Amino acid sequence: MKIITLTDLQKDLFKIIMAKKEYHHLKELEYLEKTGTLNTIMKRINNSTDDDFVEL
């Protein structure tokens, strides 16, 4: 039986959190692609110039 150390637990939790974030990101991209929004966003980004952006 393997003893779980705090470091191992932290690493495992980090992997789970990152996997969940990646999953949600991919689902968002899938939605944008299905609705055609992703193509619109990509076209606007590709056709934009530095003047189109505002410094925050």
Side-chain angles (χ1 to χ4, degrees):
M1 181 183 225
K2 182 181 175 184
I3 298 174
I4 299 175
T5 65
L6 181 58
T7 303
D8 290 340
L9 179 61
Q10 288 173 332
K11 287 179 183 179
D12 289 344
L13 289 174
F14 180 76
K15 288 177 187 176
I16 291 169
I17 291 169
M18 293 310 291
K20 189 173 182 181
K21 284 183 180 182
E22 182 66 20
Y23 172 79
H24 287 294
H25 178 72
L26 292 174
K27 292 303 278 183
E28 182 180 9
L29 287 177
E30 179 183 29
Y31 171 78
L32 291 174
E33 190 172 0
K34 282 182 181 177
T35 60
T37 308
L38 184 60
N39 289 334
T40 303
I41 292 170
M42 294 308 294
K43 285 178 187 174
R44 287 186 180 178
I45 289 172
N46 291 334
N47 294 331
S48 66
T49 64
D50 289 339
D51 295 334
D52 296 332
F53 296 95
V54 176
E55 292 278 334
L56 298 178

